[in-house]
Amino acid sequence: MLMTAADYRESLRAYRPRVFLDGHAVDSVADEPRFAPGLAAVGVTYDYAHEEAHRALMTARQATSGQIVNRMLHVDETADDLLTKLEAVRLVCRAAGCAQRYLAHDALSALMQATRRTDAAHGTDYAARFLAWLHDVQERDLAIGIAMTDAKGDRSRRPGAQANRDVYVHISERRPDGLVLRGTKAIVTGAPYMHELLIMPCRTHTAEDADFAVCCAVPVDADGVTIVARPAGRPGEPAATFTGRYGQSTGVVILDDVFVPHDRVFLAGETVEGGFLTTAYATHHRHSCIGARAGFGDLLIGAGALMIEANGLDPDRHGHIRDAMVELITITESVYACGIAASVQCRMDVGVAMPDPVYANIGKLMLATKIYDMHRLAHLVSGGLVVALPGPDEDHNPATAAALDAVLGGRADIPATQRRAVARLVEDLTVSHQAGWYSVISLHGGGSPEAMKREIFRTYPIGEKSAVVAALIDHGVVDDGRRVSRQPGRCCTTGCTEPEAVAASEPIVSADVAAG
């Protein structure tokens, strides 16, 4: 059953999660005003699946069940699936800022790969467990939160060497009927208003830390789960023309002896496959982040064009304005082009379409740093009104409203109120505390820039380039006086080609997901 936004909000009333917000317990997540922008943003993914104009993007037929499901819960099976997902994420993010549910989509695809690989290597039945759970989630059209990033504690120490083991989620007890988990996930997007949480490892683990390599599904209101959340967006603030309507909460999720039955456990100590899951999810998610920030770019481009018009400027005659708009467009579409390339150049892995990791990571690396340039360009084309704009209450102040209309207008045929409205949108998207927060999640969401750089260097076929040059100069590559054989397709002198090849030796993959 495909839910609507109203159905989704009502469905949350069946859950009783233990949630704290600004130091106080929340009685009803569905009715908490400070979460309302988050619920509204998630609601867009539900309503768009019912709208004729968006149904093709926002729904898909799941091959393993034959059922029509929400795109945000679909497991990608073809390059077309990846392209459609990318477009769907861009669509919902330019409407609501952040889709939030696409994190689940990315995790489901990666987990399908990881469970099938684990079964093949160890003779387990994780894939069947996962598939049964997946079909139930798709049938009920649930919102799934991704609990991946651990609190981590002392970053110089591995999980098992921490003074407090609970800074990482781990198996504290193995029972005949399931597992008991303890630990803390530090950043879970949309945590308070999800139906279930998918617990995942956030880094590679050694055999000694096998209890930390765990993946399972936990209802948001399971005994022992506590969520400490922040408000979603800027609810109730008159100047928050966008983030007062749409936003996202994040939450710290504390697991205090949470029991998970075996049918909800999808990995339990398989460190190599846990490392693969981490890197696979990172690739899927970074691919989706490209669509998300392209949607944000659409908002800035549109707002910039309206501000230029309201200011009475002509980009054809004012070259610096045209150049700034071209740069903003170039950043947005260059990032998105990486997403398209990652889709077209995808790799099939145990029946799942995997975005090309090089293009996915390059696109994510670009958006992580270029988000600040996007803000700068939006400020440049908008002019100084974003700085000087009086507060929204003055729009209705009889003592000042008429005077402000007279002096804060631009083109005579464009009302001053319209010019102020666009300026406030630019302010909300690029200057407000919420805007700064979105910049931070663009930088760190899906992993820090360092994580992308490592993946690009690890997966890029440098060996192929070396072989081309070696052939041109008619001798092999020499390293420290020794002849080194580099095979085409290998990423470096280590010769690794698969993520699991570095799982044991690489200390950390760092595929943190700060937010969507």
Side-chain angles (χ1 to χ4, degrees):
M1 178 191 75
L2 293 174
M3 287 199 286
T4 64
D7 295 332
Y8 156 66
R9 180 184 294 271
E10 185 60 32
S11 71
L12 294 177
R13 301 184 194 283
Y15 294 77
R16 289 292 181 267
R18 187 171 186 252
V19 177
F20 291 90
L21 175 64
D22 293 338
H24 300 283
V26 175
D27 292 330
S28 172
V29 168
D31 301 306
E32 172 52 59
R34 289 167 293 179
F35 289 149
L39 271 70
V42 173
V44 170
T45 68
Y46 283 104
D47 278 347
Y48 274 15
H50 293 272
E51 294 185 10
E52 185 63 32
H54 305 314
R55 188 175 296 124
L57 283 181
M58 294 304 298
T59 61
R61 185 176 298 278
Q62 179 66 45
T64 54
S65 67
Q67 299 300 307
I68 298 297
V69 303
N70 191 290
R71 177 71 61 180
M72 299 296 104
L73 297 175
H74 180 55
V75 174
D76 293 320
E77 298 155 355
T78 65
D80 283 343
D81 274 344
L82 290 170
L83 288 166
T84 304
K85 181 259 292 190
L86 197 68
E87 190 174 351
V89 171
R90 183 172 188 169
L91 172 71
V92 295
C93 285
R94 75 172 175 227
C98 181
Q100 299 178 69
R101 288 183 82 198
Y102 69 79
L103 284 88
H105 168 281
D106 304 333
L108 297 176
S109 291
L111 196 48
M112 180 78 85
Q113 293 173 261
T115 54
R116 288 175 174 175
R117 282 169 166 255
T118 308
D119 286 358
H122 302 284
T124 51
D125 65 346
Y126 290 131
R129 299 182 195 178
F130 168 69
L131 198 59
W133 176 78
L134 172 68
H135 289 166
D136 178 61
V137 165
Q138 292 173 332
E139 172 63 25
R140 294 192 287 154
D141 204 8
L142 300 184
I144 306 299
I146 304 306
M148 185 181 193
T149 305
D150 293 286
K152 295 183 181 177
D154 184 344
R155 270 54 168 186
S156 69
R157 296 174 178 269
R158 297 198 67 88
Q162 296 290 331
N164 178 4
R165 287 171 63 88
D166 289 349
V167 296
Y168 282 86
V169 169
H170 60 280
I171 301 168
S172 63
E173 184 181 354
R174 296 176 183 263
R175 298 179 181 175
D177 54 347
L179 306 177
V180 177
L181 302 186
R182 291 188 61 84
T184 306
K185 292 295 184 180
I187 308 171
V188 181
T189 299
Y193 43 82
M194 296 290 121
H195 297 104
E196 297 202 6
L197 303 174
L198 189 56
I199 310 297
M200 297 174 62
C202 84
R203 60 173 293 166
T204 56
H205 293 292
T206 62
E208 293 76 19
D209 289 338
D211 284 341
F212 297 88
V214 59
C215 180
C216 59
V218 176
V220 72
D221 59 353
D223 289 343
V225 174
T226 298
I227 299 171
V228 183
R230 60 179 292 151
R234 302 167 64 196
E237 295 185 32
T241 55
F242 187 85
T243 60
R245 296 172 56 203
Y246 299 113
Q248 66 180 69
S249 173
T250 58
V252 175
V253 177
I254 302 169
L255 306 179
D256 186 6
D257 291 333
V258 176
F259 174 72
V260 185
H262 280 311
D263 62 353
R264 286 174 159 265
V265 175
F266 312 128
L267 284 178
E270 293 81 10
T271 56
V272 171
E273 289 74 24
F276 171 82
L277 173 60
T278 301
T279 53
Y281 171 67
T283 299
H284 283 287
H285 184 53
R286 290 164 190 168
H287 179 257
S288 292
C289 287
I290 289 170
R293 290 306 168 263
F296 182 76
D298 291 339
L299 293 174
L300 295 186
I301 293 167
L306 290 177
M307 281 301 300
I308 292 169
E309 182 181 46
N311 289 340
L313 298 176
D314 181 356
D316 287 333
R317 292 193 300 112
H318 300 92
H320 69 292
I321 294 296
R322 181 189 61 245
D323 289 351
M325 283 294 286
V326 168
E327 187 177 354
L328 181 56
I329 292 167
T330 299
I331 292 172
T332 300
E333 299 304 342
S334 295
V335 169
Y336 196 68
C338 287
I340 293 173
S343 303
V344 174
Q345 298 290 335
C346 70
R347 308 171 183 181
M348 293 306 299
D349 181 75
V350 292
V352 177
M354 178 80 161
D356 178 85
V358 172
Y359 287 121
N361 279 279
I362 289 176
K364 178 60 178 67
L365 179 61
M366 288 176 62
L367 74 86
T369 53
K370 290 295 185 179
I371 186 70
Y372 301 98
D373 288 318
M374 294 169 74
H375 286 187
R376 171 181 58 82
L377 293 164
H379 298 159
L380 194 156
V381 302
S382 296
L385 184 60
V386 174
V387 179
L389 189 66
D393 291 340
E394 297 300 331
D395 293 351
H396 310 289
N397 181 355
T400 61
L404 290 175
D405 281 350
V407 299
L408 293 184
R411 272 178 42 175
D413 59 337
I414 295 178
T417 53
Q418 178 177 323
R419 182 172 182 250
R420 293 203 300 272
V422 179
R424 284 204 180 94
L425 177 63
V426 174
E427 176 191 25
D428 192 19
L429 292 176
T430 65
V431 182
S432 69
H433 69 80
Q434 189 68 20
W437 186 74
Y438 270 118
S439 298
V440 171
I441 65 172
S442 295
L443 183 69
H444 284 291
S448 68
E450 181 62 24
M452 277 110 246
K453 293 175 184 178
R454 291 172 64 160
E455 277 297 284
I456 292 166
F457 188 77
R458 189 178 68 79
T459 57
Y460 189 79
I462 295 175
E464 291 182 1
K465 318 304 179 185
S466 299
V468 169
V469 175
L472 287 173
I473 60 178
D474 197 31
H475 62 75
V477 178
V478 177
D479 185 3
D480 294 332
R482 295 177 290 107
R483 184 181 181 86
V484 178
S485 174
R486 295 177 185 246
Q487 299 180 34
R490 302 287 176 168
C491 68
C492 57
T493 55
T494 61
C496 59
T497 55
E498 296 290 345
E500 65 264 32
V502 297
S505 59
E506 196 70 18
I508 184 167
V509 173
S510 206
D512 297 1
V513 179

